[in-house]
Amino acid sequence: LRDVAGLLAADSGTRVFSVGDGGYDTHSNQRGAHDRKLAGLDEALGAFLADIRRSEAGRNTVVLVYSEFGRRVKENGSKGHDHGKAGPMFLLGAPVKGGLYGEHPSLTELDSGDLAFTTDFRSVYATLVERWFEGDAKAVLGAEYPVLPLV
């Protein structure tokens, strides 16, 4: 993220950066591992946002944080949770209109043991394609999805 902040400050012309943070795929003794990983993510994103506020390009940056998989509600036999359907997404940055979009997923009304998502991740993508990049979301995603008032 430090390198991305530098590239933004240098106005490199690059519009999309991708950074990964592995190690979340735990299925046993998950609590401690996730506590540490999420604390590190919080620290890294906080430092990144502080860095990018220093440049005009940074102040015009939207950060999308997502998980490639959700977690099941029921704990497995190893004090962990197996892969599920609904996963978190966060948008960060000055241009983002904060708030919760969609409803909190129910812990009791499940989809085959998984949380049922309340906001389709493709709506978030469609919103960014159309409202942020001024592109054609249907051409990119292959279908139309509701656009949300995120940015």
Side-chain angles (χ1 to χ4, degrees):
L1 288 173
R2 186 179 303 121
D3 292 342
V4 173
L7 289 166
L8 287 170
D11 201 13
S12 68
T14 302
R15 296 196 65 196
V16 177
F17 296 91
S18 177
V19 177
D21 185 28
Y24 294 88
D25 194 5
T26 56
H27 295 271
S28 63
N29 299 313
Q30 184 174 309
R31 176 67 191 262
H34 274 210
D35 285 354
R36 287 186 295 280
K37 288 299 297 178
L38 291 173
L41 178 64
D42 176 52
E43 184 178 329
L45 288 171
F48 177 71
L49 291 171
D51 282 350
I52 67 172
R53 283 189 198 112
R54 297 181 185 136
S55 72
E56 183 63 28
R59 288 186 292 276
N60 289 313
T61 295
V62 173
V63 179
L64 171 62
V65 181
Y66 66 93
S67 173
E68 65 187 73
F69 53 84
R71 290 289 181 182
R72 296 188 67 92
V73 174
K74 185 177 179 184
E75 184 177 273
N76 64 24
S78 301
K79 296 186 179 178
H81 295 86
D82 296 323
H83 292 203
K85 296 178 185 172
M89 293 183 90
F90 304 99
L91 278 181
L92 311 165
V96 176
K97 296 178 183 174
L100 174 67
Y101 294 86
E103 300 295 322
H104 286 285
S106 171
L107 294 174
T108 57
E109 296 176 30
L110 303 177
D111 179 4
S112 300
D114 290 320
L115 294 173
F117 66 84
T118 63
T119 301
D120 191 319
F121 70 93
R122 294 168 294 192
S123 286
V124 177
Y125 292 166
T127 300
L128 292 176
V129 169
E130 289 195 11
R131 297 237 170 113
W132 192 247
F133 292 108
E134 298 177 340
D136 181 355
K138 185 175 181 182
V140 173
L141 299 172
E144 290 188 28
Y145 296 94
V147 173
L148 305 169
L150 303 172
V151 290

